[in-house]
Amino acid sequence: MPGFSRREILLGGAGALTAFAAGGLGARQALAAEHSLTLSRLNHSVLPETVTADMMSFSPSGPPPVLRFRKGQTTTIDVKNALDEASVVHWHGLRIANNMDGVPYLTQYPIEAGNAFRYEFTPPDAGTFWYHPHCNTLEQIARGMTGVIVVEDEEDAGFDSDLPLNIRDFRLGGDGQFIAFYKPRNAARGGTLGTVSTVNWQPQPVYELAAGSLVRLRLAVTDLTRVGRYTVSGAEALIIAIDSNPLPQPVAMDEIVLAPGQRADVALRVPDSEDEVAKLVLKKPNGDKVLATFQPRGASAGRDLRELKPLKPNPVPQADLANAEVLDFVFGWSPGGDAPQASICGSLGYTFWSINRVAWGGDVPGPFDPLATLRHGKSYILRFRNESPNDHPIHLHGMSFQLLRSNKRKLPPLVTDTALLLEEETMEVALVADNPGDWAFHCHVIEHQKTGLAGFLRVEA
């Protein structure tokens, strides 16, 4: 049976075998997929005049490709695992069917070395998303396995060009080779920062853009750890969407805080003259760092940001707050207990963090107990309470939620899938449990996730 390992057949049991024999799955496998990814090891130049050995990508020849889908159109992606270890692919932020979500054992068996898996789904939302492994997550992401997804809407907003920006650090030494991906004492705190900041696997790349044109910058923070403050200097720029969801009104790109897993769409008006440049800047206490430069070329197109059409809201259901049930979740250090279980998807060997005083035991076959069980179609208010002095970007698979309120700051009514929970903050968000299945729920500082700050919510059909 091409494309399936024995583990994958066993996961599906008789139902999977029946579906295959009936020709439904087999017929789809016989057709070429619209996209293909090959999970690969490779050597690649990140720093000038050096080659970093033993990187990982979704391509055997370079950085992960940008995947472009259409809102409301079914797409297929064949994933071949050419690594020497297991993996899966998670489609961060996409509200798709549970069995395509890419979480080991929770939604599918890991794709073992030499095997393949076909993902098939229909994106209901337009915007900027990203993809990454959810097996041996820290090391595979650290070695390079993060890619940007663009889901295009039916109607164009009027941009002249579109530029996805995969923003992430690598932990490299002065010789351009990998150093330890994390430090345990940092994993028990805020996480271990990278040493080399990159955009699309390049330090400080320069992008030549048509002078006076309108460009949609798609910022995707795919880093393991860094919570950063970003700005655009030298040009007019407006934030038009956050985490794939349009803002009611665009706001000036003076500064935006983005944590791992978060995205921002920025409308950039390229300067008119080649003597002027715009820059994407990471603001840091010890001095701001230019991440990318946008160089105007040619005669000015003379465009104006006011020419852009508003982005259409995504069809995320609005919670009935008056009848919503409140569910509490406490994020903090682990109260102790067993070390994480050994797994085909790896373990850091430590248990530092927990949700509701329960540390996730690792990516193992189960059985699992959900953090909470939600009824399909019912509205809920999730109350996040951070007992730690560290920030946690909290990501929920399969559903989007709306920010409501905080005990520390005024929250905009944004719709998102990844909310940054500040130190000792209590935040409330609202959602409709509109997608049946078991949905991973975790911190996107990967050291926190892999040392206990993870679990899942069950939505019963």
Side-chain angles (χ1 to χ4, degrees):
M1 293 183 179
F4 292 89
S5 70
R6 181 173 177 273
R7 285 179 179 269
E8 289 163 336
I9 293 298
L10 290 175
L11 177 67
L17 290 171
T18 301
F20 195 96
L25 185 58
R28 291 199 301 274
Q29 289 289 93
L31 299 174
E34 293 176 286
H35 307 273
S36 61
L37 300 172
T38 302
L39 282 55
S40 307
R41 289 184 183 264
L42 72 163
N43 301 331
H44 185 85
S45 292
V46 176
L47 295 176
E49 301 180 3
T50 63
V51 175
T52 300
D54 213 17
M55 298 186 71
M56 289 184 179
S57 181
F58 293 94
S59 165
S61 59
V66 175
L67 297 178
R68 291 185 178 271
F69 308 143
R70 294 287 295 180
K71 175 182 175 182
Q73 293 186 8
T74 300
T75 191
T76 51
I77 309 102
D78 277 347
V79 174
K80 178 182 178 181
N81 186 2
L83 301 172
D84 53 2
E85 61 183 72
S87 191
V88 292
V89 185
H90 168 58
W91 317 94
H92 183 110
L94 292 182
R95 299 186 300 128
I96 56 179
N98 190 248
N99 64 345
M100 292 290 127
D101 191 52
V103 179
Y105 300 111
L106 197 63
T107 71
Q108 70 174 96
Y109 263 108
I111 308 169
E112 296 189 56
N115 285 299
F117 187 87
R118 173 166 288 187
Y119 292 92
E120 180 176 353
F121 50 76
T122 305
D125 306 318
T128 303
F129 305 85
W130 65 293
Y131 63 103
H132 64 83
H134 232 282
C135 182
N136 196 13
T137 315
L138 190 144
E139 180 174 350
Q140 291 185 6
I141 289 181
R143 291 188 184 274
M145 291 179 66
T146 63
V148 179
I149 298 170
V150 173
V151 180
E152 297 171 342
D153 212 334
E154 299 95 336
E155 186 176 358
D156 179 59
F159 289 97
D160 297 300
S161 57
D162 182 299
L163 181 58
L165 302 173
N166 183 346
I167 301 168
R168 54 158 303 152
D169 294 351
F170 289 96
R171 280 187 57 78
L172 303 178
D175 60 355
Q177 305 310 308
F178 285 114
I179 59 177
F181 297 132
Y182 76 99
K183 299 178 180 178
R185 60 188 174 88
N186 291 345
R189 296 175 175 83
T192 307
L193 293 174
T195 61
V196 178
S197 297
T198 69
V199 172
N200 297 334
W201 278 29
Q202 294 179 279
Q204 300 183 320
V206 177
Y207 296 98
E208 295 189 352
L209 303 172
S213 64
L214 300 180
V215 179
R216 183 169 181 168
L217 303 179
R218 297 179 181 269
L219 282 61
V221 177
T222 73
D223 194 64
L224 290 156
T225 304
R226 186 181 298 279
V227 178
R229 296 183 298 133
Y230 301 86
T231 189
V232 170
S233 66
E236 294 179 84
L238 298 174
I239 304 169
I240 58 174
I242 294 176
D243 295 339
S244 313
N245 290 284
L247 301 184
Q249 292 291 333
V251 298
M253 177 66 174
D254 297 327
E255 183 179 297
I256 185 171
V257 177
L258 294 174
Q262 295 190 301
R263 297 86 67 203
D265 288 49
V266 176
L268 171 71
R269 203 277 183 179
V270 181
D272 292 302
S273 169
E274 293 187 358
D275 296 329
E276 305 172 82
V277 296
K279 297 177 180 178
L280 175 65
V281 178
L282 173 64
K283 300 179 74 67
K284 301 175 71 175
N286 59 347
D288 294 351
K289 183 177 185 60
V290 175
L291 295 181
T293 298
F294 310 109
Q295 173 67 58
R297 288 289 183 241
S300 176
R303 297 292 306 276
D304 191 303
L305 287 169
R306 291 172 293 184
E307 299 173 30
L308 295 172
K309 299 176 184 177
L311 301 179
K312 292 182 179 179
N314 286 320
V316 178
Q318 189 168 3
D320 176 6
L321 298 181
N323 295 294
E325 181 180 346
V326 179
L327 301 175
D328 284 284
F329 300 94
V330 178
F331 304 92
W333 286 307
S334 172
D338 296 334
Q341 299 179 53
S343 166
I344 193 174
C345 284
S347 167
L348 303 192
Y350 300 93
T351 301
F352 295 134
W353 298 95
S354 67
I355 302 178
N356 289 349
R357 317 279 191 246
V358 176
W360 183 248
D363 298 314
V364 294
F368 305 106
D369 290 321
L371 292 163
T373 299
L374 288 61
R375 293 207 329 261
H376 185 223
K378 182 176 171 59
S379 294
Y380 292 88
I381 293 173
L382 311 184
R383 183 181 294 134
F384 302 160
R385 181 157 59 91
N386 183 5
E387 289 189 329
S388 79
N390 305 109
D391 297 342
H392 300 290
I394 303 301
H395 174 51
L396 175 61
H397 291 213
M399 293 177 284
S400 295
F401 51 83
Q402 183 175 16
L403 305 184
L404 294 180
R405 49 192 161 262
S406 161
N407 67 334
K408 299 191 72 169
R409 53 186 166 141
K410 183 176 181 180
L411 296 177
L414 298 178
V415 175
T416 180
D417 51 74
T418 309
L420 179 59
L421 189 62
L422 302 179
E423 59 177 292
E424 299 180 348
E425 180 178 28
T426 298
M427 176 190 294
E428 292 185 352
V429 307
L431 61 76
V432 177
D434 63 333
N435 202 355
D438 290 344
W439 297 107
F441 182 50
H442 62 88
C443 177
H444 229 286
V445 172
I446 303 301
E447 289 157 90
H448 295 173
Q449 174 197 339
K450 294 296 285 185
T451 58
L453 214 162
F456 71 98
L457 305 184
R458 175 166 292 161
V459 178
E460 291 187 336

